[in-house]
Amino acid sequence: GRPVELGRAMGAFIREAEADLGRGERGHLALEAQLREHHDLDELAAENLVAYLEDEREAAGALPTDRRIVVERFRDELGDWRLVILTPFGGRVHAPWSLAIEARLGERLSSEIRTIWSDDGIAIRLPDGEDIVAGVEELLFPDPEEVEDIVVGQVASSALFASRFRENASRALLLPRRRPGTRTPLWQQRQRAADLLAVASRYGSFPILVETYREVLSDVFDLPALREVLGGIARREIAIHSVETPKASPFAGSLLFDYVAAYMYDGDAPMAERRAGALTLDRDLLRELLGQEELRELLDPDALADLELGLQALTEDRQATTADQLHDLLRRLGDLSADEIAARCQGGAAAGDAWLTELIATRRAVLAHVAGDDRWIAIEDVARYRDGVGVAPPVGVPQAFLGPVGGALDGLLARWARSHGPFLTPDPARRWGLPAGVVEDALERLLDAGTILRGEFRPGGAEREWIDPDVLRLLRRRSLARLRKEVEPVDQAAFGRFLPAWQGVATAGDPVAMLRPVAALERLAEVLDQLAGLALPASVLERDILPARVPGYQPRLLDELGALGEVAWVGRGSLGRDDGRIVVIRPGRELLRPVGPVDAVERPSDPRHDRIREHMAARGASFYREIHAAAGGGSDREVLDALWDLVWAGEVTNDTFAPLRALKWKRPARDARRRPGRLTALGPPEAAGRWSLVEPAGGTATERLHATSLALLDRYGVVTREAVASEGIDGGFSAVYPILRAL
């Protein structure tokens, strides 16, 4: 049936149920019997449903029916207003209604207003403000004659319209796949559909655009039903029950969970963003479902420390500057010793003593003996300390301040909670010299009354603490502000300043003295650690890269590290005849060693290459003379070409950097002639050192990706998609992203 008809049927049932609930226990039993006999509910389900309706009636004062709409307002954990419209008319009425509300509120408040709808109603979040709720409730019910124009104007910008357009375009084969039979990820489909919608929206007669409007306005929305409901409100046939509650009612609770699910970040957001999102949850609802009240992992310890200093007036902006402000401190914080007063006064003990003298002279403060110590209290608190803590009133206190005080200890503990962060029962007990059991009973009474809360709040704590709701709200706001500050993006200029400093380039141009050899070696090792696994042109490594990062760099430093076994290198493709890319490997980073030959290089496979491989596999590291003989002799140029083919293919390496430096010298066109009387000539400089086969990279694919991800973090500090793409990593950013997300 139509939503209005279904809503009327549901409303009639709720009206009958509400009448039964109003008759007390007999009505409850009758309603449970009706649910079992006529609606096929078992006994437990009937009891739960009746209890659910009764809880809603007690929280909101009335139930939503076809003749009554409930508008509930309350503040969330961050102090912002939430408005919830509860009706039984269903999602086809609530969906266009929420669009109209967003348009009207956005125009009035000049800001984006977010709503969410379901079959139970509409939830709206409003920014904090004293009069904002009173000003917007009248905007929740637009004119029935104008609502269709408002909805049509808003629907194109809604997420519902975008999703329906994507589905229609896909069915019309306007989003073809490159290879039929393969699955296209949903996020790519959304991107392609958004691009198509941006173009199609320029042409009002585009068939898929028109079909999407028809489907949304006709199949998803029921605008005639919405006009009928709004018309009933205008004619006063449907009443509006407006109520302000301290927290969400049971009916509103489900809507709020839908709201969080719609707007909270997914699990792959950074940790700070996930914690910030978790702090926006309604913890009462979460405790109700999950039975958990632990916040200590979400709250920021620095925010808590700052808040506690502020609550105790220990920050400079909260300190007393006059006698009147000192009197206010005594009334707000309770008993204070002379040293505690001095710490809370601008000017220290001298100013505090002078102001105390003035308060004593004007009979606004007195000295009392509390738990064996002398403490100053406001004269208004004398009777409260007498009845709650057992303090003997000082002589000379007027009788007007000595009348009996009911719930004196409860009041003192409530004030303690307002002026402290999360605390344990022994804290006020020691302060006032009271048994812990007496204090525990009083705190339990405050908990039952909703004056204080209990849970796990203090970061690093091990027990459940007490806290004032307003203090918790402030703590959440400050923790949320700090978390949002952590993930606040910076501009490109800041990142441009950060990256050179991270890699030690920022100070390279300063006129610095030569570092001690050991210090220079340590700095060079740090730089090579950052560059480990990155393919760099051999010609610029010692000419540009290392001197820019190591003040006073000399080539011998790199040779010393090589002789110590602290650095190795592997070729990753030639760049012409006399240059190529190399990858530097440090101990502990062996998993960054390239796996197999370079993809872009064809594996050398002529007989000379094979003989060199076989010789090194059998003999291990060898000097050039041995390789020359094993390769079958011939000219140095032929053997060198074969050897360096294997180097750039990533199969052969050297234990020194001398051959790489020698590449900048042009090779002779033919072998040098021996001088008379000399039996042998020196080997070519680009063949110096010992040559060996590159050991295969160990570890699984996941372990190598883990090592690569750590190297990227060490190299860039902030890893971006572009940085990963520039390194030519197999699989690109999508390969390392799961590892980075897990880290």
Side-chain angles (χ1 to χ4, degrees), residues 211-345:
E211 168 61 18
T212 305
Y213 270 106
R214 184 210 64 77
E215 181 177 340
V216 172
L217 296 176
S218 177
D219 297 347
V220 182
F221 295 169
D222 193 336
L223 289 174
L226 176 59
R227 288 197 300 269
E228 187 175 343
V229 171
L230 294 176
I233 295 173
R235 295 188 299 270
R236 306 296 176 89
E237 297 173 358
I238 300 177
I240 304 298
H241 176 75
S242 183
V243 60
E244 181 174 340
T245 59
K247 62 179 182 178
S249 67
F251 279 22
S254 61
L255 268 175
L256 291 187
F257 276 110
D258 291 339
Y259 192 97
V260 171
Y263 294 115
M264 195 174 70
Y265 287 112
D266 294 332
D268 60 351
M271 177 61 72
E273 294 191 9
R274 293 207 303 272
R275 290 172 60 199
L279 284 172
T280 64
L281 283 169
D282 189 319
R283 307 304 297 189
D284 292 332
L285 296 174
L286 195 59
R287 281 196 299 270
E288 184 178 331
L289 284 189
L290 306 179
Q292 70 108 332
E293 51 188 358
E294 296 82 5
L295 280 174
R296 67 170 86 256
E297 299 299 328
L298 301 176
L299 299 176
D300 187 271
D302 293 333
L304 174 58
D306 292 342
L307 178 59
E308 289 181 318
L309 290 176
L311 293 174
Q312 282 293 305
L314 291 172
T315 57
E316 186 175 352
D317 59 322
R318 295 294 185 93
Q319 290 180 334
T321 58
T322 63
D324 292 335
Q325 291 183 5
L326 178 57
H327 181 245
D328 291 339
L329 281 183
L330 292 174
R331 297 188 60 183
R332 190 170 74 248
L333 303 181
D335 55 285
L336 295 174
S337 65
D339 292 338
E340 291 170 340
I341 289 176
R344 290 163 173 80
C345 294

Side-chain angles (χ1 to χ4, degrees), residues 659-697:
L660 294 172
R661 300 188 186 108
L663 285 179
K664 60 186 178 181
W665 301 331
K666 186 177 180 181
R667 296 180 186 173
R670 62 182 185 275
D671 294 337
R673 295 181 179 178
R674 297 176 182 174
R675 294 176 59 185
R678 180 175 294 179
L679 297 178
T680 60
L682 293 176
E686 59 265 45
R690 292 189 304 172
W691 300 90
S692 59
L693 292 177
V694 175
E695 296 181 8

Side-chain angles (χ1 to χ4, degrees), residues 333-414:
L333 303 181
D335 55 285
L336 295 174
S337 65
D339 292 338
E340 291 170 340
I341 289 176
R344 290 163 173 80
C345 294
Q346 289 189 6
D353 292 342
W355 295 332
L356 274 176
T357 302
E358 181 179 344
L359 293 179
I360 294 171
T362 56
R363 309 188 73 177
R364 288 191 288 170
V366 295
L367 184 64
H369 198 64
V370 182
D373 294 331
D374 290 334
R375 311 226 183 105
W376 295 93
I377 60 175
I379 198 170
E380 296 90 344
D381 288 335
V382 170
R384 182 176 294 177
Y385 275 88
R386 178 198 64 199
D387 298 343
V389 182
V391 174
V395 178
V397 176
Q399 190 63 34
F401 296 113
L402 295 177
V405 177
L409 181 57
D410 295 3
L412 290 175
L413 287 171

Side-chain angles (χ1 to χ4, degrees), residues 568-617:
W569 60 273
V570 179
R572 296 304 288 168
S574 65
L575 297 173
R577 180 177 177 80
D578 298 327
D579 196 8
R581 291 187 177 89
I582 63 170
V583 171
V584 178
I585 305 297
R586 288 269 294 135
R589 299 269 178 130
E590 288 80 4
L591 289 176
L592 297 176
R593 184 184 297 114
V595 181
V598 184
D599 295 337
V601 176
E602 183 178 355
R603 187 173 186 269
S605 59
D606 65 18
R608 194 181 295 274
H609 296 128
D610 294 337
R611 286 194 291 268
I612 295 176
R613 291 192 191 97
E614 293 171 359
H615 170 78
M616 291 186 180

Side-chain angles (χ1 to χ4, degrees), residues 410-432:
D410 295 3
L412 290 175
L413 287 171
R415 181 168 65 183
W416 175 281
R418 290 193 300 270
S419 58
H420 289 78
F423 64 94
L424 299 173
T425 302
D427 296 338
R430 284 193 300 267
R431 177 75 180 181
W432 298 324

